[in-house]
């Protein structure tokens, strides 16, 4: 690492995401050329059921059978997200799970530093309570109330409190709307299902004009149709789109390594396609992948999914950048691009 003072990793070895170069947030020259800066948020003090997401960042960084050489060419898009975006990894933010306020404050600062520099923060969680500092940090840089949220999750995360605390992984979306960091009418939730929340919380969500695409609607209308509609809402009157992905949006048969599994979700294929598409089509200003809990995983399949979610997001961003710079023709999503190399 040279003379860098980066914190590194809270748990386990200090490995970067698939071998991309390390950087130190306190030394801007180490990441000034990056378009995307990866941050680890190893915090699970907000969990309401099974803990273990504090080990998510390390698991996502390591989960790949290919060499950790800092390069990943996309078969689908004909770009290399890691190289083309000059992705750097700033390591983990120091987040003690026994100190919610201190941990969140540290993460908000780190995300804001990246966002204020015009970069895209990509945060590896951690439980979903980190959406509160993540989106807040981006909104303070991009525009307060000017960031729309595309939120993939089995759960709405709009509860008022949990075990007497206002900070938890079931409450961040309510806190973001209450603070004004995000607009309720530009909050798009995809994949909700199951038996929570109850009527009182659903009424509050309706009052905020949130738009929730439950699994029943996704099945009836089709995922792509719903994404078309949600994308139009997201870019209406907002300065950027924040992509929040909870792995429990995927059916637990394909993503068992998570804290609150809910049967009947998206397939991993559907989620990866959706993430790639949105990263390509929308003006993304931040990304988070949360709730990977490797202690509950089976054969690392959830960690592998988390890794691929990150890569699909980066590939979509890289393709968008390449087309904007005139290096590639617009991507036709109906056609494969296996001959792009």
């Amino acid at each position: 690492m040279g003379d860098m003072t980066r914190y590194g990793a809270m748990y386990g070895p200090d490995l970067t995401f698939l071998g991309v170069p390390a950087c130190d947030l306190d030394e801007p020259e180490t990441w000034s050329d990056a378009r995307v800066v990866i941050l680890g948020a190893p915090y699970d003090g907000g969990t309401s059921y099974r803990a273990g997401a504090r080990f998510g960042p390390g698991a996502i960084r390591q989960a790949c059978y290919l060499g950790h050489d800092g390069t990943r060419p996309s078969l689908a898009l004909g770009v290399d997200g890691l190289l083309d975006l000059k992705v750097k990894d700033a390591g983990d933010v120091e987040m003690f799970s026994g100190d919610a306020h201190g941990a969140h404050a540290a993460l908000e600062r780190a995300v804001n530093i990246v966002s204020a520099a015009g970069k895209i923060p990509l945060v590896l969680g951690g439980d979903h309570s980190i959406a509160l500092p993540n989106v807040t940090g981006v909104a303070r840089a991009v525009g307060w109330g000017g960031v729309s949220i595309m939120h993939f999750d089995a759960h709405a995360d709009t509860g008022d409190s949990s075990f007497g605390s206002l900070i938890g992984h079931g409450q961040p979306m309510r806190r973001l709307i209450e603070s004004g960091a995000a607009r309720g009418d530009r909050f798009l939730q995809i994949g909700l299902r199951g038996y929570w929340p109850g009527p009182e919380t659903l009424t509050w969500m309706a009052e905020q004009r949130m738009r929730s695409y439950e699994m029943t609607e996704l099945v009836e209308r089709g995922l792509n149709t719903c994404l078309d509609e949600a994308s139009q809402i997201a870019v209406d009157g907002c300065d950027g789109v924040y992509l929040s992905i909870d792995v429990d949006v995927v059916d637990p048969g394909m993503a068992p390594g998570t804290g609150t599994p809910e049967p009947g979700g998206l397939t991993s294929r559907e989620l990866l396609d959706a993430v790639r598409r949105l990263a390509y089509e929308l003006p993304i200003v931040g990304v988070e992948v949360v709730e990977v809990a490797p202690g509950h995983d089976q054969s690392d399949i959830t960690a592998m999914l988390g890794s691929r979610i990150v890569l699909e997001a980066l590939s979509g961003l890289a393709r968008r950048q390449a087309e904007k710079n005139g290096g590639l023709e617009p991507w036709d999503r109906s056609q494969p691009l296996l001959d792009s190399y």
Side-chain angles (χ1 to χ4, degrees):
M1 299 302 173
D3 296 324
M4 285 192 290
T5 58
R6 58 184 257 127
Y7 186 83
M10 284 192 69
Y11 307 105
D14 183 16
L15 303 175
T16 64
F17 179 75
L18 303 184
V20 301
C23 68
D24 185 341
L25 286 191
D26 292 331
E27 299 179 18
E29 67 276 9
T30 65
W31 51 278
S32 60
D33 61 338
R35 180 74 184 112
V36 175
V37 176
I38 293 175
L39 296 165
Y43 177 84
D44 59 13
T47 52
S48 59
Y49 189 46
R50 303 192 308 203
R54 69 180 67 184
F55 303 111
I60 294 171
R61 286 183 172 111
Q62 298 179 59
C64 191
Y65 53 84
L66 297 171
H68 289 208
D69 53 5
T71 175
R72 283 298 183 276
S74 166
L75 290 176
L77 297 185
V79 292
D80 188 323
L82 299 183
L83 289 180
D84 295 350
L85 297 172
K86 295 182 170 59
V87 177
K88 300 289 183 68
D89 190 331
D92 287 349
V93 176
E94 186 175 356
M95 302 179 72
F96 173 49
S97 286
D99 178 9
H101 292 281
H104 278 205
L107 181 58
E108 182 183 323
R109 173 186 175 273
V111 170
N112 181 253
I113 288 172
V114 173
S115 190
K119 315 297 185 182
I120 298 174
L122 196 157
V123 184
L124 310 178
D127 71 44
H128 218 157
S129 70
I130 66 170
L132 176 56
N134 286 343
V135 176
T136 301
V138 170
R140 292 193 191 283
V142 176
W144 196 252
V147 178
S148 62
I149 316 295
M150 295 285 278
H151 171 205
F152 288 80
D153 206 325
H155 312 97
D157 294 351
T158 50
D160 193 22
S161 67
S162 179
F163 305 120
S165 174
L166 296 177
I167 297 178
H169 72 169
Q171 291 83 49
M173 309 316 174
R174 183 184 287 244
R175 300 288 94 85
L176 285 169
I177 293 172
E178 288 176 340
S179 73
R183 289 169 49 176
D185 62 351
R186 293 297 179 272
F187 224 112
L188 297 309
Q189 301 189 303
I190 300 161
L192 303 190
R193 59 190 186 275
Y195 299 87
W196 184 87
E200 183 178 345
T201 301
L202 292 174
T203 298
W204 181 88
M205 293 167 62
E207 291 171 348
Q208 314 310 311
R209 299 173 62 195
M210 299 179 74
R211 182 63 169 93
S212 299
Y213 294 86
E214 298 179 18
M215 281 303 305
T216 48
E217 181 176 358
L218 296 180
V219 171
E220 181 66 26
R221 298 179 61 201
L223 176 59
N224 277 324
T225 298
C226 293
L227 290 177
D228 288 341
E229 186 176 282
S231 295
Q232 290 178 352
I233 297 171
V235 297
D236 181 15
C238 280
D239 302 314
V241 179
Y242 185 90
L243 195 55
S244 178
I245 304 151
D246 186 329
V247 292
D248 73 23
V249 73
V250 171
D251 190 274
M254 294 184 174
T258 194
T260 48
E262 182 64 53
L266 297 175
T267 66
S268 55
R269 178 72 268 152
E270 288 172 322
L271 177 60
L272 294 175
D273 287 345
V275 169
R276 179 175 66 237
R277 171 188 171 177
L278 296 178
Y280 167 72
E281 294 181 351
L282 300 178
I284 300 297
V285 292
V287 181
E288 65 187 15
V289 180
V290 302
E291 299 287 354
V292 172
H296 305 292
D297 210 357
Q298 176 67 37
S299 299
D300 300 328
I301 58 175
T302 313
M304 289 283 286
L305 175 59
S307 172
R308 288 327 194 236
I309 292 169
V310 172
L311 285 176
E312 292 293 359
L314 293 172
S315 298
L317 290 169
R319 180 79 194 193
R320 180 183 178 91
Q321 173 180 277
E323 291 179 12
K324 184 178 180 180
N325 294 339
L328 293 170
E329 291 297 317
W331 170 41
D332 179 358
R333 289 191 290 110
S334 67
Q335 298 296 325
L337 289 172
L338 298 181
D339 59 351
S340 297
Y341 288 102

